[in-house]
Amino acid sequence: MDAYVFNDGSTKDLMSLTGTVPVSYRGNTYNIPVCLWLLDVYPYNPPICFVKPTSAMMIKTGKHVDANGKIYLPYLHEWKHPQSDLYGLIQVMVVVFGEEPPVFSRPQVQSSYPSYQPTGPPNTSYMPGMPSYPSGHSANPSGYPSYPYPGGNSYPTASTAQNYNAQTPVTTVGPSRDGTIGEDTIRASLISAVSDKLRWRMKEEMDRAQAELNALKRTEEDLKTGHQKLEQMVSRLDQEVTEVDRNIDLLKKKDEELSSALEKMTSQSENNDIDDVIVPTAPLYKQILNLYAEENAIEDTIFYLGEALRRGVIDLEVFLKHVRLLSCKQFQLRALMQKARKTAGLSDLY
């Protein structure tokens, strides 16, 4: 547990993991020192990652590392538990740092030469055995950041010094003999810078094109699914329209038949007898019909006898005499009708 200072100045004890990440760059393997700070919400949030250069290294700022050494990776930005973990993060660092190393060896100036008084502008890019750069020019004429070159050092270096005889120090100040930088050096630097730049741009374009292609594929699948659903709906609607047309034709035919039957019944209504219109299909049903009609006639008779008594047309003695006779007959009719319905297999009426 170490104290971590946030951007707002607050301090908090966090678990830190310090080590090196082996990176293969141009045929050589380099160990990049890194430090991972685990927040208290880990593993649901990504760790805070830094490159920790030694005293012999310098940070090479770029797309994934800033001047403070903080690491920025899409893997950290898209961190999602439990798919994301430290093992996957280390693997991503190996790949990314293999394309763009985040550190390079700090240039060292030999101090074993005799002192001298310069006669011109100071030369800060001097290196024994290598041509010096004139005043006003940087050590990287291409304008791109220095790119590491594999060599005998344990880390990529900004430049490589050649062996020289320490007994005969060079006292040349300012430009080299011809005052120019070698064309091969310029060409190699430009080719390296342009190739790396093109590689990054091509990777970005390929990722963007792949993302657009995936989006188009998903859109195509959605459109195909919607097209199939629309075809099914259209087919179902066609079936329903056909069925509706068939039902309309059937209803028209039935309407014509009913209209014809109604006209026929209207023309014959004057000569029709109600007893001839309703004809039971069996003698037992005819008996039930007659019993029911007679029982209802007695019911109506008793009702009108009550009306006559209320109006004073008949006296109470006559009313009771006729109601007694009619009620007795009505009871017999109901009993006979219930027996006939039971014989016919019909339900009880009362």
Side-chain angles (χ1 to χ4, degrees):
M1 300 293 290
D2 295 319
Y4 179 81
V5 180
F6 292 90
N7 294 333
D8 57 359
S10 60
T11 305
K12 189 173 185 179
D13 290 336
L14 300 178
M15 179 179 291
S16 63
L17 302 177
T18 304
T20 58
V21 177
V23 173
S24 178
Y25 182 75
R26 295 187 178 181
N28 293 336
T29 301
Y30 304 96
N31 294 321
I32 308 299
V34 297
C35 179
L36 309 182
W37 295 86
L38 305 182
L39 300 171
D40 51 1
V41 291
Y42 177 84
Y44 299 99
N45 283 26
I48 303 174
C49 306
F50 285 89
V51 175
K52 295 188 65 175
T54 62
S55 59
M57 305 178 194
M58 293 181 64
I59 294 177
K60 176 186 173 184
T61 60
K63 181 179 179 181
H64 302 292
V65 179
D66 61 10
N68 296 325
K70 189 172 183 179
I71 300 173
Y72 300 92
L73 296 173
Y75 189 85
L76 294 172
H77 181 69
E78 300 172 359
W79 184 278
K80 185 177 181 181
H81 179 74
Q83 289 81 5
S84 304
D85 53 17
L86 294 180
Y87 181 73
L89 175 60
I90 300 285
Q91 290 180 326
V92 172
M93 287 185 182
V94 170
V95 175
V96 173
F97 292 163
E99 296 179 355
E100 183 184 359
V103 295
F104 61 90
S105 295
R106 185 185 300 274
Q108 297 181 359
V109 179
Q110 300 292 335
S111 61
S112 60
Y113 302 101
S115 59
Y116 56 87
Q117 182 67 29
T119 58
N123 183 7
T124 59
S125 60
Y126 173 80
M127 182 171 288
M130 294 293 289
S132 303
Y133 298 98
S135 175
H137 294 77
S138 64
N140 189 359
S142 64
Y144 294 93
S146 300
Y147 289 85
Y149 297 90
N153 297 326
S154 59
Y155 294 92
T157 59
S159 59
T160 304
Q162 299 178 352
N163 296 328
Y164 62 94
N165 188 355
Q167 301 298 327
T168 58
V170 180
T171 59
T172 304
V173 179
S176 62
R177 185 173 303 175
D178 55 359
T180 60
I181 302 174
E183 294 183 359
D184 293 339
T185 303
I186 297 176
R187 185 182 299 107
S189 178
L190 288 174
I191 290 175
S192 176
V194 172
S195 62
D196 289 345
K197 189 70 173 180
L198 289 176
R199 189 182 302 111
W200 294 339
R201 293 293 298 275
M202 289 178 61
K203 186 175 183 301
E204 292 177 356
E205 292 295 329
M206 290 180 64
D207 293 342
R208 183 180 61 80
Q210 185 65 34
E212 293 179 355
L213 182 61
N214 294 336
L216 291 175
K217 286 183 178 180
R218 290 193 296 268
T219 304
E220 181 185 8
E221 293 177 356
D222 294 340
L223 290 175
K224 287 182 178 180
T225 303
H227 181 67
Q228 293 177 356
K229 291 182 179 179
L230 288 176
E231 288 183 345
Q232 294 175 358
M233 292 176 63
V234 170
S235 177
R236 186 166 60 252
L237 288 175
D238 291 339
Q239 295 177 358
E240 292 179 357
V241 169
T242 303
E243 185 177 356
V244 169
D245 292 338
R246 185 171 57 252
N247 292 334
I248 289 175
D249 295 338
L250 181 61
L251 288 174
K252 288 181 178 179
K253 292 180 180 178
K254 294 297 182 180
D255 183 64
E256 293 176 356
E257 293 178 359
L258 289 174
S259 298
S260 177
L262 183 60
E263 292 178 357
K264 184 177 180 180
M265 292 178 63
T266 302
S267 61
Q268 296 178 356
S269 60
E270 297 179 356
N271 300 325
N272 288 337
D273 187 3
I274 190 64
D275 294 331
D276 296 334
V277 173
I278 301 176
V279 179
T281 58
L284 182 59
Y285 295 153
K286 184 176 182 180
Q287 182 183 6
I288 294 173
L289 177 61
N290 293 332
L291 291 172
Y292 185 75
E294 189 174 357
E295 190 266 335
N296 279 276
I298 292 175
E299 187 75 23
D300 293 340
T301 303
I302 293 175
F303 172 77
Y304 285 110
L305 285 174
E307 286 294 318
L309 177 63
R310 184 176 63 82
R311 296 178 181 182
V313 177
I314 60 175
D315 55 8
L316 179 59
E317 184 179 356
V318 174
F319 172 77
L320 294 176
K321 178 181 179 182
H322 286 84
V323 167
R324 190 182 300 112
L325 294 174
L326 292 173
S327 297
C328 181
K329 188 174 183 180
Q330 185 182 29
F331 176 78
Q332 294 176 357
L333 292 173
R334 286 186 177 181
L336 183 58
M337 185 170 55
Q338 288 286 81
K339 184 176 180 180
R341 290 179 66 86
K342 186 175 181 180
T343 302
L346 301 175
S347 60
D348 293 339
L349 188 60
Y350 301 104

